[in-house]
Structure formats: structure tokens, C-alpha cells
Amino acid sequence: MLGTLETGVKGGRWYSLFDKVYKEANLRAAYRKVAANKGAPGVDHVTTKRFGQRLDQEIASLQEDLRTARYRPSAIRRVEIPKPGRPGEFRPLGIPTVRDRVVQTALRNVLEPIFEAGFAEHSYGFRPGRSAKDALRRVEKLIDDGLAFVVDADIKGYFDAIPHGKLLDRVREKVTDGAVLALLDAYLTQRILDGLKEWTPVGGTPQGAVISPLLANAYLDPLDHRVARRFEMVRYADDFVILCRTRGEAQAALDEVREWMAEAGLTLHPDKTRLVDLSARETFDFLGYTLGRGVRRPSKRSLTRLRDAIRLHTPRTAGKSLANVITPLNRTLRGWFQYFKHAKRTLLKELDGWIRTRLRGILWRQAKRRGLVPKTANYRWPNAYFDRAGLFSLARARTEAVRVRYAGRPPTGEPCA
């Protein structure tokens, strides 16, 4: 994309971009990305499928509305989704219309190469060709290199707290196209509909919006570069750690981060930000893992989330056949294993056993039995019974992954590190 933009840059700032946003090829490419994500419809109830059935007309309409400055984003439909591993707690999710998601994706297609060119090396979240596993590998290497003190930082309500004015100022450092800035401002101040309630946000980036991750990275990029001058920092979105050789260095790094946060209108969470001494066998959680000297395992929170997800798939009163229970359950287990496949086999074997116990509970209930499932159920439905039913085994999958790895062939999906 950058090659198509070179005529619109002067002094390192891009001044002519908006016509690239509503270019037909860009809008069509944006729709393909939106359709691939299969998101829910917004306040207009238009699905990606319905939008695609009228694609030529919709693209032509968007082009004209953008070109003539008539385009206005619709309200965002807000829903509350349960937080995994936190019963009774919910996370707000904003759902823009398909039309708005297409324009946001087209805008991101234009802006992302501009910002990517200057993003810090140790930033991994929501960036092309980078992943959480890359961030974890970097942290583990720094620990192996002997860095013994960690600033485990947490930004309080980051995505809701970013000041709009300061964020747009950050964008202006690279982009001066007034139409692009006006479009970004329109997205930041989109109305939010939550049932019968409606309001306009005064800060933050809309959760669920396509453009939000890029803007969130752009806002924290100056912090990345500032800290990198003296310390080793690894950041994934708003989750970051700084690794140092001494406690004094770690305290200095924390002081520097606090100073920058104050200038940026942000706050570190007082209860979730701490200094960790790895030489004292302390550990910290990062991107779903508990890490430390010689420690690399799924965090308690990750295990709680997995168990909660399994419970949702295996209620005793499901009224489904075993096959209809196992099929969605296997999808959850395979997805979890791809991220945590290096976990100790003893843990995975324990999880396998617990899963089979829950399935025996379903079969016990379907056999018109009541009360606790007796140990004799293990003989009635042995482990082999579930193997024949196609249940995914975490422990067996790990054994196979290790076997393939040490046979000199690349495994089907790398361990986290």
C-alpha cells in the first residue's frame, strides 16, 4: 500500500490520503476482510451476507458518500458478553454496522503501513506478522539472558481512557489530511446504543471497532520508544512488561512509565502494577502464562477460563447426544492446546480426566440415574469409550507434538516458545 501513497507525503507527514480510502479496489478488499470475520450485524440489522448480495450498489454508495463528505457513521450497538473465568462479570463489546466496518477497514488499510513503518520492535499486539507467541518468546529469552527484575504493568481501563484530543494529536504527527482526521474523529465519537440507553463517548476508542487496535498502538508507540532507550520492554496491546537486571533499574523504569502515563492522560492500575523479583522465585502472568525462572505454565486464570468453557459445553441436562457434545467441545480443546501445547503432560492428563468425568455425568443422567456419579461409571464408560467417540485428548496431543518435533519434522503448530 505504501507504494501507492508516496505522492502524498511531505516532510514525513501524509497530506493526501482520503481518496485512497474510498478507492473501489480498497473498499472491495475491505469488505472481503469484514465478511471473513463473520461478525454480527449492527443497529441496522444488515448482515455481511446481505451486504454482499448488494455489493456493487453498497460500494458505489459508500464511494459517493465518502467523496462528497456525506458519509456519517451509524451508532454502535453495545452488548455485554461474559468474561471467561469471572462469573457474574461482563465485558462491553461494540458492534458497528457492516457498512461502517467496511469503511474502517479501508481506512486501516491506508493508515496501517504508515504507522507500521515506525512502530517499535518490541510491540507485538495487533500487528501484521506478529503474535502473542512472539511476545512470549521474547520475554523468555530475556529471562534466560539473566534479567531478574520485572515491571509487571497494567494500564487502568486503557481502551476507555485514551483522551480523544491527545490521540488525534498523535495521528497528526504522521497524517495531516483533514478528511482522514475528521473521519477518525467521527469514529471516536460514534453514538453508542445499549438497549434503550444512548450516549456519546468523550474518551477512549470504541471496543469492537476495526480501527481501534491501530489507534491504541499508535498512542502507546512513544512510550515504547522512550522506554526502549534504557530498558527491555515487551508490549502486546495494553499489556506490557519491562525486564531489568537490578531492582534499581526496575524502579527507575516504573517511575519513567508513570511519568509518561501522567503526561498522556493515563493511569497505571495501583493494585495490578508491581515489581517482580525472579531471583527470589517470584512469578508474573503475561498473555495467559505464568512465567519466571524455570517457570512456564498456563496461568490460573487461563485454566479457570478453560474449565468454565468446558462446563458450558458439558451440562448434565444438555439433552444432547455424546457426539453433539464432543464436537463443539473438541473445537475448544484444540484451540486451547494450540496455544498451551507445551504445558506439562501431568496437567493435561489431569484435565483429560476431569473432562471425561463430566461426560460420564451426562451419560449417567441420560441413563435415568440420579445423584453423584459412582466410580463404577469408569468401568461402564472407560477412557477407551471416549477415544472411540472421538474426544480430543490434550495429553495424547502433546505426546504426538513432542514426538513429531524430536523426529526432526516441524510440528503442526509451534509451542509458545
Side-chain angles (χ1 to χ4, degrees):
M1 179 66 73
L2 275 176
T4 66
L5 303 180
E6 290 176 355
T7 57
V9 63
K10 183 181 295 183
R13 302 172 79 185
W14 301 85
Y15 63 88
S16 180
L17 292 173
F18 196 61
D19 60 319
K20 282 74 173 181
V21 174
Y22 61 79
K23 192 174 181 179
E24 180 180 353
N26 188 27
L27 289 172
R28 288 184 179 275
Y31 168 73
R32 289 193 293 271
K33 289 182 181 179
V34 170
N37 289 333
K38 301 178 180 178
V43 294
D44 61 0
H45 307 293
V46 174
T47 63
T48 54
K49 181 179 180 180
R50 182 177 164 191
F51 190 96
Q53 289 170 343
R54 292 174 32 87
L55 188 59
D56 290 345
Q57 299 95 311
E58 294 286 2
I59 294 297
S61 174
L62 278 176
Q63 276 191 292
E64 183 64 15
D65 286 351
L66 288 164
R67 185 184 66 80
T68 59
R70 290 201 308 264
Y71 170 81
R72 297 291 184 275
S74 301
I76 293 176
R77 181 168 69 90
R78 177 167 159 159
V79 296
E80 301 282 336
I81 60 175
K83 286 187 175 182
R86 298 186 184 181
E89 293 188 33
F90 296 85
R91 178 172 68 89
L93 179 66
I95 305 176
T97 64
V98 174
R99 196 170 193 263
D100 289 342
R101 297 206 296 269
V102 169
V103 178
Q104 285 191 28
T105 303
L107 179 60
R108 187 186 66 187
N109 288 346
V110 172
L111 292 181
E112 189 170 67
I114 295 171
F115 285 93
E116 270 292 322
F119 277 164
E121 179 63 27
H122 55 258
S123 166
Y124 295 90
F126 308 115
R127 296 186 60 190
R130 290 169 173 248
S131 69
K133 290 183 180 180
D134 295 323
L136 288 161
R137 292 187 186 99
R138 177 61 180 162
V139 170
E140 289 193 313
K141 183 182 186 306
L142 293 171
I143 293 174
D144 291 343
D145 288 346
L147 277 67
F149 291 87
V150 180
V151 178
D152 182 10
D154 185 280
I155 305 174
K156 190 173 182 179
Y158 175 59
F159 285 90
D160 292 328
I162 303 175
H164 287 170
K166 290 178 181 291
L167 174 58
L168 289 174
D169 287 343
R170 188 84 74 237
V171 175
R172 285 189 189 96
E173 293 173 5
K174 293 186 178 289
V175 175
T176 60
D177 188 315
V180 168
L181 293 168
L183 186 56
L184 286 174
D185 184 58
Y187 283 133
L188 293 175
T189 55
Q190 273 180 279
R191 292 176 300 122
I192 297 175
L193 294 180
D194 186 354
L196 297 178
K197 295 184 293 183
E198 178 179 348
W199 70 94
T200 300
V202 295
T205 60
Q207 294 194 36
V210 176
I211 200 70
S212 288
L214 176 61
L215 295 177
N217 272 337
Y219 197 64
L220 287 179
D221 186 58
L223 174 67
D224 294 340
H225 289 284
R226 176 170 172 174
V227 173
R229 289 198 293 265
R230 298 175 58 194
F231 310 105
E232 297 287 355
M233 177 177 176
V234 180
R235 182 172 68 81
Y236 190 93
D238 61 332
D239 195 359
F240 67 90
V241 291
I242 304 172
L243 291 95
C244 307
R245 295 197 176 277
T246 68
R247 182 178 292 277
E249 285 184 1
Q251 186 60 57
L254 179 56
D255 291 342
E256 188 159 344
V257 170
R258 283 196 173 119
E259 179 183 336
W260 186 90
M261 290 286 170
E263 296 170 356
L266 301 172
T267 306
L268 290 178
H269 198 295
D271 300 323
K272 298 180 180 179
T273 300
R274 64 194 183 106
L275 296 186
V276 178
D277 183 356
L278 301 181
S279 63
R281 314 307 296 178
E282 294 179 359
T283 60
F284 62 99
D285 290 350
F286 186 59
L287 300 181
Y289 283 86
T290 295
L291 301 171
R293 287 268 178 90
V295 177
R296 185 184 62 186
R297 61 174 183 263
S299 67
K300 290 181 179 179
R301 184 176 175 185
S302 297
L303 290 170
T304 298
R305 287 181 171 183
L306 175 64
R307 289 180 182 272
D308 286 347
I310 292 170
R311 288 188 182 97
L312 288 174
H313 287 305
T314 58
R316 284 201 188 184
T317 57
K320 299 178 181 178
S321 69
L322 186 63
N324 286 334
V325 171
I326 286 178
T327 297
L329 175 61
N330 277 352
R331 285 196 292 268
T332 295
L333 295 176
R334 287 192 176 99
W336 191 87
F337 179 75
Q338 283 303 308
Y339 193 71
F340 294 104
K341 64 170 57 183
H342 76 284
K344 288 185 178 180
R345 192 174 186 278
T346 52
L347 169 63
L348 300 180
K349 190 174 180 180
E350 176 190 330
L351 287 169
D352 281 342
W354 179 71
I355 292 165
R356 288 190 294 265
T357 297
R358 292 196 61 82
L359 293 176
R360 290 187 183 104
I362 293 174
L363 295 170
W364 183 255
R365 183 67 176 264
Q366 290 177 352
K368 309 299 183 184
R369 303 299 181 90
R370 296 291 183 268
L372 297 175
V373 181
K375 290 184 178 180
T376 54
N378 291 10
Y379 299 101
R380 183 171 180 178
W381 299 294
N383 295 355
Y385 177 87
F386 299 105
D387 291 341
R388 290 193 296 272
L391 178 65
F392 181 82
S393 167
L394 296 166
R396 188 164 55 245
R398 185 186 189 281
T399 299
E400 177 62 15
V402 171
R403 184 192 68 77
V404 171
R405 187 179 188 185
Y406 284 96
R409 298 189 300 273
T412 57
E414 297 178 14
C416 95

